[in-house]
Amino acid sequence: MPANASKSPAHADLESILVSEQAIKRRLKKLGAEIKAVYGDEEITVVSIINGAILFTADLLREIPNPVRLDCIRISSYRNSTKSHGKPQLLHSLSLDIANRHVLLIDDILDTGKTLSMVVGLIAKQSPASVKVCVLLDKKGRREVPFEADFVGFGIPDKFVVGYGLDFAERYRNLPCIGVLKPQLQNPPEWA
Ligand code: 5GP
Ligand code: MG
């Protein structure tokens, strides 16, 4: 589907839209129901990996009827580039005590698997009752370490995507859909 250039200047930077705003809304309702079916009435401690998962977390939480505690964790994995730069680093840790709690870790996208396997390892050290992982997007073909999420919004091909929380050099997070950035806009020298 061609990106609609008339919607906003940011839309005009997309070569295509992979997941529309309406498709995201529909899928989040179903994801909320899947999560509820697994946890029953239990309280969930949601740990959101920011900044990328901010929009996804905010919308998904409103589809989860369970009692929820929310915390955020900040990890660096990309800078002003579409390529990962090696080992993810913990920049800001949890504030809540997660011992004996059911932790649901939320991230925007599962790519090589390095970030989530590192974060699950960190969380597991704090003796939670359980750890499950929910991602909006899954690039299955890109895994470098074995990792599967418990809840997945959409499987997508190996393309660099932006929008709905996902950025390129901190831009495009506010796009309501998920799309592929035009190749000529990836790694422009003035942003490097
Ligand atoms: P992984 O550690 O699984 O390789 O990467 C996970 C992180 O890389 C994600 O949380 C996200 O920040 C970033 N990432 C991976 N693929 C993409 C992509 O296509 N677009 C954007 N904007 N970020 C991505
Ligand atoms: Mg991220």
Side-chain angles (χ1 to χ4, degrees):
M1 173 179 173
N4 184 346
S6 68
K7 281 188 178 166
S8 75
H11 275 89
D13 288 356
L14 300 180
E15 97 179 347
S16 62
I17 294 175
L18 276 189
V19 190
S20 70
E21 185 177 0
Q22 293 72 17
I24 294 172
K25 284 195 176 134
R26 278 197 301 271
R27 184 71 189 105
L28 260 55
K29 285 202 183 306
K30 289 193 178 149
L31 263 185
E34 286 173 30
I35 290 168
K36 164 78 176 134
V38 167
Y39 286 96
D41 295 329
E42 293 277 358
E43 182 182 80
I44 306 172
T45 298
V46 167
V47 174
S48 176
I49 303 184
I50 59 173
N51 292 333
I54 281 183
L55 276 72
F56 177 41
T57 304
D59 288 344
L60 181 62
L61 283 193
R62 282 173 276 192
E63 302 295 340
I64 300 175
N66 303 56
V68 161
R69 301 191 312 157
L70 173 64
D71 204 351
C72 295
I73 193 168
R74 188 184 286 270
I75 308 286
S76 74
S77 49
Y78 281 80
R79 294 234 173 96
N80 297 350
S81 137
T82 59
K83 296 280 178 284
S84 173
H85 59 89
K87 205 167 169 267
Q89 298 195 331
L90 177 67
L91 300 180
H92 194 277
S93 191
L94 291 173
S95 307
L96 291 180
D97 182 1
I98 57 165
N100 304 313
R101 305 291 185 150
H102 294 293
V103 173
L104 178 62
L105 191 55
I106 300 188
D107 203 2
D108 50 3
I109 184 164
L110 176 51
D111 185 24
T112 65
K114 288 182 195 169
T115 304
L116 278 166
S117 54
M118 186 268 242
V119 176
V120 166
L122 287 176
I123 285 180
K125 282 190 193 148
Q126 298 183 42
S127 311
S130 67
V131 186
K132 292 196 187 299
V133 173
C134 176
V135 293
L136 176 65
L137 305 172
D138 186 358
K139 283 188 200 168
K140 270 199 187 303
R142 290 257 312 155
R143 224 62 102 241
E144 291 178 25
V145 297
F147 194 94
E148 292 306 322
D150 300 278
F151 307 97
V152 175
F154 303 92
I156 60 162
D158 178 14
K159 301 233 175 194
F160 187 81
V161 292
V162 295
Y164 198 64
L166 291 120
D167 74 311
F168 174 66
E170 292 304 326
R171 291 157 174 98
Y172 306 109
R173 293 196 197 273
N174 57 331
L175 271 172
C177 60
I178 294 159
V180 180
L181 205 53
K182 287 177 177 165
Q184 64 269 32
L185 293 172
Q186 298 183 14
N187 300 321
E190 70 272 22
W191 291 2

